[in-house]
Amino acid sequence: MLIVIEGVVTPNKQKIRPSDWAEMLMVIIDNQDFFATAERHLHQCDYKAAAVYTRSAFEKLVRKYCVKKKKTLVLKPRIKDYSSEDFWTVTKSDVPNSAADIETYRSLVLNAFSHYNTEQHEIKAELEKAIQAVKNLKKEIGAL
């Protein structure tokens, strides 16, 4: 089945084209505060969700930094072929104050909690430190 959307009309009779609607949705999604969501899940003791949102904040942060600073990356055929490692590799030398903590918490918390592993015990204190490490990275990147 094919659905064709002609456009959306707002309450004040303004017509919005589908492409405008898609752009508005992209802005809404891009403006999501992953830190607030991570901390909300942390306080609800949903550590896996907190780790996933912290990882998303990290990935968004390093990708935007690479675009802003025009960092050189290996060309890949599709955007989905890039990983956070691709962006982090070219970013970490620019953020010496945050790099060691990010390296520690990426492997200890952000990667481990994001996957199913019955042997991994989710530790609240480590997750809190991981969230703070990514926030510190955001501050350091903001100063560059």
Side-chain angles (χ1 to χ4, degrees), residues 62-125:
V62 294
R63 280 181 186 229
K64 284 188 161 204
Y65 176 76
C66 288
V67 169
K68 179 181 175 185
K69 295 295 184 176
K70 297 181 170 78
K71 291 292 193 175
T72 303
L73 298 166
V74 174
L75 181 62
K76 296 188 179 184
R78 297 174 302 221
I79 191 76
K80 73 177 192 171
D81 293 335
Y82 289 96
S83 70
S84 62
E85 183 65 27
D86 296 315
F87 298 98
W88 178 238
T89 298
V90 298
T91 300
K92 63 183 166 186
S93 63
D94 294 351
V95 289
N97 297 329
S98 301
D101 283 344
I102 293 295
E103 287 293 325
T104 298
Y105 296 114
R106 278 185 71 214
S107 61
L108 183 65
V109 178
L110 303 181
N111 289 340
F113 281 11
S114 296
H115 302 287
Y116 177 73
N117 182 349
T118 57
E119 296 176 5
Q120 175 69 36
H121 299 288
E122 298 160 343
I123 302 169
K124 181 179 181 180

Side-chain angles (χ1 to χ4, degrees), residues 36-47 50 124 128:
T37 306
E39 289 175 332
R40 187 177 72 247
H41 284 288
L42 178 68
H43 295 304
Q44 295 171 346
C45 299
D46 186 354
Y47 302 136
K124 181 179 181 180
E128 289 171 333

